[in-house]
Amino acid sequence: MLPGPFHPRRTSQAAGRVAALVAAALCATLLTGPAQPAGAAPPEAPAAAAHDQARWAKARAFALHQLAATDRHLARGRYPVTAHPDVPWRTEGSSSWMAGFFPGQLWLAYEATGNPTWAARARARQRDLRWRRFDTSTHDLGFVMLDSFGQASRLTGDPRARRVVLDSAASLASRWVPVAHTLRSWQGPPGQVTVIVDNMVNLELLFWGADHGGPAAWREMALEHALTTRDQLVRPDGSTWHAVRFDEQTGERVWRGNIGGARDDSTWARGQAWAVYGYTVAYRETGDPRMLEVARRTARFALSHLPADGVPYWDYAVPVTRRTPRDSSAGAVLASALLELGAIDPDAGLRARYRRAGLHTLRTLTGPRFSAQGSGSRSVLLHGRASPRTPDAGTVYGDYYLLEALQRAQLVPSTRRALRVVRAGASRAAAHHPGRAVLDHSATSRWSASWRAGAAAAALRLDLGRVRRVSGVSVAFWQGDARATRLRILTSVTGRRWSVARTVVSSGGSSAQETYDVPDRRARFVRLIGLGGSAGRRIDLTTVRVRG
Ligand code: GLY
């Protein structure tokens, strides 16, 4: 069946939530004060945290060393896939589902260091992937295009990269199968549509597209796909099946089980990690409590079935002996997902639990058992499991998610001093969406704004007067103890090209300031875009501080 037009089946709680923050024009607002670390991530014991930070810095330095060596030796148009000690990377061409991870790591290295050499390497490596934006033969476009061109757009504001990502989102959306309420993953046996849990991770491309000028229906489509995956592939205890097949004519389920895992009733470890990751992103991008529920449920299953060191065996149900293979890639995906969930879950206790667990797994992955340091392998991690039929190996995706997790581990609420904001006002885009905006001088500075669906570009813009180091943003929300708000933080040196620093969700449990760290960067301008929240179409900020 050909993909058809998209008609949402379920009432979407996200409908109308994509909206604009319309800020009042504010002049010469002075926002200073003592640092108040709070909210976004739980505090860690200072000595342990300092020890960990040194460990992450060392692990990242090794990852960057490996990346540079791989870049030196890799032929143009080839992409690393798996690695073994003392053997060069096995590579694939640009049509591989894994082709985005190497340029993606180069972009993460650029984000971590600010060194333009990494950006140049990333651009050179992603050039041969441009054609994939029109590749409608695969669901893997999120992995391939968001990790490469998507990061280029996020980190540099490059409009050509943005165009490529939008085209890619359109290609992914073309795989919508209305009768089954899902995006097609694999072609499947004749007359059937196959959906795999891995596809949850590609949804971010559709959320991104809907936020960057694509049709709002892409957001609905992604949400609906996530709900179908929840209903078909997530068990009540939070474990997952890997794959489900539907009849293409009727949409009825004809089979489900495991292609990646050990048995149909078992749980493939990487599939489980994709589920935790995908539902965490879906919650971050929609604020929909149904996504949060599945993120928590799948995380709970993983956390209650992991071995003591936090890195899963390749399947959660296989008998464990000394020879049972681990899957470090599943560990890296899971660690990254847990660190993100540990930053955005509205429940402070759960935030702390997820972050602790993510850091624990990360410590094991960066320790002697899994680190490739000294092994002769070109990968960063050892002991991944590309498929049940292939031997133990380093994997390019394990390395990608390890680097992402390291970046997330280093994000703790900034305690640096607040910078003076010399001017604050609505971004240019906001002028086109005037909405309702109030500035209340009586108690605190307060920006109230009503959303308008589709006007996501309107934003509050802060000018620091000159280029400064920026390490975080502290925000207090009016009635912040009663509602969670999603906020995107962007920075710019010139005010023309913007780089996305982070998307956050306020805890919904406090009216005090919450501090959201961002990877250290140089910027003169900071922009906050409201993306909706549990109170629907309103945003009210009482204080904003930019941390130095
Ligand atoms: N399709 C992604 C994976 O094999 O994990």
Side-chain angles (χ1 to χ4, degrees):
M1 183 178 286
L2 289 173
F6 173 69
H7 300 292
R9 171 179 48 159
R10 303 173 175 91
T11 314
S12 165
Q13 299 188 9
R17 269 191 196 168
V18 181
L21 160 60
V22 182
L26 302 169
C27 291
T29 306
L30 209 126
L31 300 166
T32 54
Q36 291 185 33
E44 284 149 30
H51 185 265
D52 269 348
Q53 290 299 333
R55 183 184 190 109
W56 312 144
K58 225 171 111 192
R60 194 161 69 182
F62 173 61
L64 268 46
H65 172 269
Q66 295 295 82
L67 266 183
T70 298
D71 192 60
R72 273 197 303 280
H73 292 100
L74 197 66
R76 169 142 189 221
R78 301 301 297 174
Y79 294 88
V81 173
T82 49
H84 298 273
D86 299 320
V87 180
W89 278 104
R90 195 173 75 72
T91 63
E92 291 185 0
S94 62
S95 59
S96 169
W97 79 268
M98 295 169 269
F101 293 121
F102 184 61
Q105 284 178 82
L106 296 169
W107 281 120
L108 291 175
Y110 171 62
E111 180 175 33
T113 61
N115 181 342
T117 304
W118 289 111
R121 288 171 173 155
R123 276 192 204 95
R125 292 292 173 184
Q126 76 188 18
R127 208 163 287 142
D128 290 313
L129 297 180
R130 279 183 84 86
W131 70 271
R132 297 289 302 273
R133 69 193 195 275
F134 298 126
D135 182 2
T136 55
S137 71
T138 179
H139 64 290
D140 283 322
L141 288 169
F143 287 118
V144 178
M145 303 307 270
L146 206 54
D147 294 353
S148 53
F149 288 92
Q151 306 236 54
S153 168
R154 177 175 76 84
L155 295 170
T156 70
D158 178 355
R160 285 164 310 175
R162 174 191 164 113
R163 187 67 251 162
V164 170
V165 189
L166 273 172
D167 288 341
S168 309
S171 296
L172 179 58
S174 78
R175 297 178 67 78
W176 182 249
V177 183
V179 70
H181 305 280
T182 191
L183 293 154
R184 183 191 297 274
S185 301
W186 294 335
Q187 200 55 35
Q192 294 179 16
V193 181
T194 303
V195 177
I196 57 174
V197 73
D198 324 24
N199 205 4
M200 280 301 304
V201 180
N202 291 302
L203 301 184
E204 190 174 355
L205 177 58
L206 294 179
F207 292 130
W208 185 98
D211 271 356
H212 289 82
W218 288 351
R219 172 176 295 276
E220 299 296 303
M221 194 180 271
L223 186 61
E224 186 134 344
H225 177 96
L227 290 169
T228 300
T229 301
R230 173 195 67 175
D231 296 345
Q232 297 294 341
L233 291 177
V234 183
R235 302 184 184 109
D237 68 353
S239 66
T240 48
W241 285 278
H242 180 212
V244 57
R245 293 199 176 115
F246 301 100
D247 182 294
E248 229 168 22
Q249 298 301 323
T250 65
E252 293 299 313
R253 185 176 78 219
V254 292
W255 174 86
R256 78 176 156 199
N258 273 328
I259 298 167
R263 303 187 310 261
D264 280 348
D265 63 351
S266 73
T267 301
W268 179 45
R270 198 161 63 248
Q272 186 72 20
W274 292 140
V276 182
Y277 194 102
Y279 283 101
T280 297
V281 169
Y283 173 62
R284 188 190 70 205
E285 297 301 315
T286 63
D288 190 312
R290 294 170 296 181
M291 300 296 103
L292 178 62
E293 185 277 321
V294 193
R296 286 174 171 174
R297 185 154 39 114
T298 50
R300 189 172 57 230
F301 177 86
L303 294 185
S304 54
H305 290 79
L306 282 171
D309 66 9
V311 177
Y313 294 93
W314 73 281
D315 187 294
Y316 282 99
V318 287
V320 173
T321 69
R322 279 160 46 102
R323 299 164 67 87
T324 307
R326 301 288 189 116
D327 184 355
S328 60
S329 72
V333 174
L334 184 64
S336 188
L338 289 171
L339 290 171
E340 186 72 345
L341 193 53
I344 64 177
D345 192 295
D347 182 287
L350 287 175
R351 279 204 306 276
R353 178 160 186 233
Y354 298 139
R355 184 164 171 91
R356 257 197 320 273
L359 295 178
H360 177 60
T361 298
L362 203 51
R363 277 184 213 105
T364 305
L365 289 173
T366 53
R369 176 162 185 179
F370 290 96
S371 168
Q373 198 145 18
S375 72
S377 175
R378 287 269 161 80
S379 60
V380 182
L381 281 176
L382 300 173
H383 309 311
R385 183 101 172 142
S387 89
R389 289 159 295 283
T390 55
D392 179 279
T395 62
V396 71
Y397 38 90
D399 289 0
Y400 176 88
Y401 288 99
L402 179 80
L403 197 48
E404 185 183 78
L406 284 170
Q407 236 118 290
R408 288 177 174 174
Q410 287 174 318
L411 289 181
V412 291
S414 173
T415 52
R416 297 206 185 113
R417 71 191 171 81
L419 297 172
R420 182 162 185 248
V421 174
V422 299
R423 188 178 168 80
S427 286
R428 195 156 50 89
H432 303 305
H433 306 289
R436 199 157 72 78
V438 180
L439 171 62
D440 172 4
H441 282 290
S442 57
T444 49
S445 302
R446 174 174 157 201
W447 303 276
S448 295
S450 300
W451 317 108
R452 278 206 198 163
L460 176 66
R461 172 178 154 135
L462 308 168
D463 181 353
L464 303 173
R466 64 184 172 83
V467 175
R468 316 286 297 261
R469 180 178 69 171
V470 171
S471 69
V473 176
S474 301
V475 182
F477 295 91
W478 186 67
Q479 293 187 341
D481 53 346
R483 55 205 202 186
T485 303
R486 297 169 47 244
L487 207 59
R488 188 155 290 152
I489 303 165
L490 301 90
T491 62
S492 174
V493 172
T494 59
R496 284 190 296 279
R497 279 197 173 190
W498 293 86
S499 146
V500 178
R502 199 171 166 196
T503 303
V504 300
V505 185
S506 73
S507 71
S510 166
S511 297
Q513 274 186 65
E514 296 191 348
T515 297
Y516 308 107
D517 203 359
V518 301
D520 280 11
R521 58 196 47 225
R522 287 167 51 72
R524 173 173 169 179
F525 301 98
V526 175
R527 189 153 80 175
L528 302 178
I529 301 179
L531 297 169
S534 60
R537 302 181 176 198
R538 286 190 63 77
I539 186 168
D540 291 274
L541 310 181
T542 55
T543 317
V544 180
R545 291 191 167 98
V546 178
R547 303 258 166 228

